[in-house]
Amino acid sequence: MPATLMNERDLEFMLYELFDSEGLASRERYQDHDRQTFNEVINTAKVIAEKHFLPIRQKLDTHQPTFDGKKVHIIPELKTAIDAVNHSGIGSATADYDLGGMQLPPIIASAASSFLTVAGGVGMGYNMLTTANANLLQAHGSDELINTWVKPMREGRFMGTMAMTEPGSGSSLGDLITKAVKADDGTYRISGNKIYISGGDHDLSDNIVHLVLARIQGAPKGVKGISLFVVPKFLLNDDGSIGADNEVALAGLFHKMGGRAQTSTALSFGEKNGSVGYLVGEEHCGLKYMFHMMNEARIMVGTSGAVLAVAGYQYSVDYAKNRPQGRLPSCKDPQSPMVNIIEHADVKRMLLAQKAYAEGAMALVLYGTQLSDDEHTAATEEQRQYAHTLLDFLTPIIKTWPSEYGPKANSLAIQVMGGHGYINEHPVEMFYRDNRLNPIHEGTTGIQSLDLLTRKVPMNKMQGYHATLNEMRKTLDEAKQYNGLQQMTEQLSEALTTLSTTTEAVLSAMATKNIDLALSNSVKYLELFGHVIIAWLWLKQSIVATKALAEQPHQDDVYFYQGKLQAAQYFYRFELPEINLWSQLLIHTDSTSFDMQPEWF
């Protein structure tokens, strides 16, 4: 089987036809770049992926990190691969020049990283968390914190984490008990325990910079009493060299279903004298600051879900095109040659579903990535604020829809390949295991749905909600110009009406009924909204494909664009109609789940 990573033709379509990434070079921040440099960076990532990550992909999966009571052991090839990423500059591709970055648009960096994610599993997770950590500090930290910690992280000498979850609080951050006591020198002494800290300990860098949520002694209970601290694994000497141990102890490693290349750790802070911590920003504002990193991480989680879905789809398509088995039902001659399984209608169905999920999700996460850029680099303050409004609203959907439907796509990839999909000689079962974490971390699907309904929809007089619907209506107006898209245009218009009616009903229920009951089907609301967003993005892709076909392109491109239109049709006919059932459950405040009693299970 060919070692298919990403579909480069589809990536080109997403970047340059759907989102006009080439036009970003006209912005001041990216004026040193053009399409050629964008492609060179993406190709460099592909080369590193194929040379350093792909040969060790299965080994990373089968050789989990180990802990001998003193030190974590990771296969040495991973450090070689990560060093290659850092030396190429891709590890800090979006960072400022003066911090060692390449000042690339995030959408280009995301495209480049997709090759590394597919080839290296979650091995790139160390770099991605480090980038998010550094971005938070650069946005909210003092000059001293930036100079001390951000520069070495951008250079790849240090790596970063976020340490939020505790054994007794889980996702309920308002209940965390990690303590911070102010010292005479203005620093703090941190003590407590954190769990599920990705990349919390390893030997891949000289130091690990933990961003730790803790409660300053005497602070109020709940989320308003949380502060954020830099707590490095090792302190630094005056000259910036590695100094004394900072009482950040590894209590153990978690052994995972997937994502095995990246350590998941239990950490103990300050068991003796307290770990030295440096306050980020102001006291009691820690959760606000951490959400800067969490929201970035949520886009990364959605991107992981989408990229792994694309990878599984690509692999199963290649397999289906080359695997002869059986004959079509219309063939009655047992002596006739077998057909490749891609000829069978049910295999086509499963491949179409994967394509609809994977490429729809990929369009969503790249759209979110572009919005994250627009809110900082768009031409006017009005445009920047509008992008912020859209992104803030869409983040729960960007995180959740790909992370839910990515594993569904991977499950179908396994099914397409049959027994060969279930064995680890092929990577699709690993893609599924790696992807299955994505609905869980950085806020479960249930948490994201509550965020969407209780915060994002009503926020600022429903500004984000209305902005999102406005963007979809713009696309509907454009699509009406094309006769071939009439059916999809009508369907999406009806879906928007369904969405609006459902939203009104749910908000009314939240205001007039038992709030726990009104929110008991919040996940279905998120899924409904997500389906409408994906349908919208498939209509946008269909517009591009229809325009391109009218220009009579090369035959290979004809096939490509026809495939886009067929996948869009599949989503509109097989997937989008499901929102009507979900809408009825929400409008009538169905109480099936709410009424279930613990004793009845």
Side-chain angles (χ1 to χ4, degrees):
M1 288 295 297
T4 305
L5 294 176
M6 296 296 293
N7 182 329
E8 294 177 53
R9 177 64 185 90
D10 193 56
L11 205 56
E12 179 184 43
F13 171 86
M14 295 280 182
L15 293 178
Y16 302 121
E17 297 179 68
L18 186 61
F19 293 118
D20 186 27
S21 299
E22 189 172 4
L24 295 174
S26 64
R27 298 184 181 182
E28 182 180 358
R29 180 172 177 80
Y30 310 125
Q31 61 186 358
D32 294 338
H33 297 292
D34 54 24
R35 183 166 176 167
Q36 181 179 346
T37 63
F38 293 163
N39 287 339
E40 286 172 355
V41 170
I42 293 169
N43 187 63
T44 297
K46 178 188 172 187
V47 170
I48 293 172
E50 292 176 341
K51 180 178 180 180
H52 293 286
F53 282 99
L54 195 59
I56 63 170
R57 179 166 66 182
Q58 188 174 35
K59 189 174 181 180
L60 286 170
D61 183 52
T62 56
H63 292 67
Q64 295 196 53
T66 59
F67 177 44
D68 62 10
K70 295 182 179 179
K71 185 180 178 182
V72 172
H73 299 277
I74 300 174
I75 65 168
E77 296 95 326
L78 179 57
K79 179 170 173 50
T80 301
I82 288 177
D83 285 347
V85 173
N86 289 329
H87 291 155
S88 72
I90 293 173
S92 56
T94 62
D96 297 347
Y97 289 139
D98 60 3
L99 289 173
M102 301 170 70
Q103 286 191 195
L104 277 169
I107 195 170
I108 300 299
S110 182
S113 293
S114 66
F115 288 93
L116 300 165
T117 298
V118 173
V122 297
M124 275 298 292
Y126 297 99
N127 295 76
M128 292 176 179
L129 273 176
T130 300
T131 295
N133 179 311
N135 289 345
L136 182 154
L137 286 177
Q138 194 168 337
H140 303 290
S142 64
D143 289 342
E144 183 179 0
L145 287 179
I146 293 171
N147 291 330
T148 303
W149 306 109
V150 172
K151 286 188 175 181
M153 283 197 284
R154 297 296 194 198
E155 294 167 358
R157 293 189 292 114
F158 295 179
M159 287 187 175
T161 78
M162 61 169 139
M164 298 185 297
T165 306
E166 296 182 4
S169 61
S171 298
S172 180
L173 294 176
D175 295 318
L176 67 80
I177 59 174
T178 296
K179 185 172 65 175
V181 178
K182 194 168 186 177
D184 293 338
D185 61 0
T187 62
Y188 292 76
R189 297 299 175 266
I190 312 297
S191 58
N193 298 288
K194 301 288 185 178
I195 59 172
Y196 300 137
I197 310 307
S198 297
D201 203 350
H202 52 75
D203 57 0
L204 301 171
S205 61
D206 297 337
N207 205 351
I208 302 174
V209 182
H210 302 288
L211 287 176
V212 180
L213 289 179
R215 199 179 302 280
I216 296 173
Q217 194 172 34
K221 293 184 178 180
V223 296
K224 293 182 179 179
I226 297 174
S227 299
L228 181 64
F229 301 88
V230 169
V231 185
K233 180 178 179 179
F234 299 108
L235 298 172
L236 301 183
N237 297 317
D238 292 340
D239 62 358
S241 61
I242 299 299
D245 180 271
N246 193 28
E247 292 187 28
V248 180
L250 177 62
L253 294 177
F254 295 103
H255 301 288
K256 299 177 289 181
M257 169 184 174
R260 295 171 175 173
Q262 188 175 27
T263 56
S264 180
T265 63
L267 298 178
S268 174
F269 293 89
E271 288 187 348
K272 296 179 181 178
N273 302 311
S275 303
V276 176
Y278 307 92
L279 181 68
V280 177
E282 300 177 9
E283 294 183 353
H284 314 321
C285 294
L287 200 57
K288 179 180 73 173
Y289 301 147
M290 186 61 92
F291 264 107
H292 183 286
M293 184 173 182
M294 287 173 65
N295 286 334
E296 187 172 339
R298 285 170 176 171
I299 297 174
M300 290 193 303
V301 169
T303 302
S304 173
V307 166
L308 291 172
V310 169
Y313 164 64
Q314 281 299 115
Y315 201 94
S316 63
V317 164
D318 284 346
Y319 181 89
K321 286 181 177 180
N322 293 281
R323 169 65 171 171
Q325 186 172 306
R327 296 159 187 83
L328 298 180
S330 59
C331 179
K332 306 300 182 182
D333 181 8
Q335 301 300 318
S336 64
M338 293 187 291
V339 298
N340 289 327
I341 63 172
I342 201 163
E343 300 288 343
H344 295 296
D346 195 54
V347 172
K348 292 180 184 179
R349 174 190 65 82
M350 291 187 286
L351 291 173
L352 262 175
Q354 286 186 71
K355 184 177 177 69
Y357 297 161
E359 294 177 11
M362 199 69 190
L364 174 60
V365 298
L366 289 176
Y367 177 65
T369 301
Q370 185 54 56
L371 287 176
S372 72
D373 189 11
D374 290 344
E375 69 175 333
H376 298 293
T377 68
T380 68
E381 176 59 30
E382 182 181 5
Q383 290 173 326
R384 293 192 290 273
Q385 184 56 48
Y386 185 67
H388 172 78
T389 297
L390 283 169
L391 180 62
D392 194 42
F393 179 82
L394 286 169
T395 294
I397 298 171
I398 294 170
K399 188 274 178 187
T400 303
W401 201 94
S403 70
E404 287 285 350
Y405 281 84
K408 291 181 192 295
N410 292 145
S411 178
L412 287 169
I414 294 171
Q415 190 72 13
V416 165
M417 295 176 62
H420 287 278
Y422 195 66
I423 60 178
N424 62 18
E425 277 74 10
H426 297 278
V428 290
E429 60 85 29
M430 181 191 72
F431 293 153
Y432 176 84
R433 288 186 287 105
D434 284 356
N435 216 345
R436 188 58 190 81
L437 177 61
N438 287 324
I440 298 172
H441 66 161
E442 308 309 334
T444 63
T445 298
I447 289 172
Q448 300 298 331
S449 71
L450 293 174
D451 181 41
L452 180 63
L453 258 179
T454 64
R455 293 184 65 250
K456 299 302 173 64
V457 171
M459 184 185 295
N460 297 327
K461 298 180 180 180
M462 301 180 71
Q463 186 180 31
Y465 171 84
H466 289 303
T468 300
L469 265 59
N470 182 54
E471 288 300 303
M472 290 192 274
R473 292 189 182 109
K474 288 180 187 176
T475 303
L476 283 172
D477 289 341
E478 183 181 3
K480 290 173 183 176
Q481 304 173 36
Y482 304 97
N483 292 332
L485 303 180
Q486 181 179 355
Q487 186 176 13
M488 278 193 282
T489 302
E490 291 173 357
Q491 249 186 291
L492 182 58
S493 181
E494 292 170 2
L496 286 182
T497 299
T498 299
L499 175 61
S500 298
T501 303
T502 306
T503 301
E504 291 173 8
V506 174
L507 292 179
S508 175
M510 290 167 60
T512 61
K513 298 181 181 180
N514 180 314
I515 189 65
D516 296 327
L517 169 61
L519 293 172
S520 63
N521 297 311
S522 61
V523 165
K524 282 302 171 189
Y525 179 80
L526 188 154
E527 193 169 10
L528 186 159
F529 213 131
H531 261 48
V532 175
I533 293 292
I534 296 298
W536 164 55
L537 289 168
W538 268 114
L539 183 59
K540 287 177 74 70
Q541 294 187 66
S542 297
I543 291 171
V544 175
T546 299
K547 287 180 179 178
L549 284 169
E551 296 174 1
Q552 299 182 327
H554 184 274
Q555 187 63 56
D556 286 345
D557 278 338
V558 170
Y559 294 149
F560 174 81
Y561 293 125
Q562 287 175 331
K564 283 289 182 187
L565 292 171
Q566 199 73 5
Q569 178 175 300
Y570 176 90
F571 192 83
Y572 272 77
R573 293 187 180 180
F574 282 74
E575 298 291 336
L576 188 58
E578 291 195 52
I579 71 170
N580 297 313
L581 170 61
W582 303 336
S583 173
Q584 289 304 304
L585 293 172
L586 289 157
I587 286 173
H588 297 294
T589 320
D590 186 271
S591 64
T592 302
S593 299
F594 179 78
D595 289 339
M596 185 65 181
Q597 301 299 306
E599 295 81 9
W600 300 350
F601 283 101

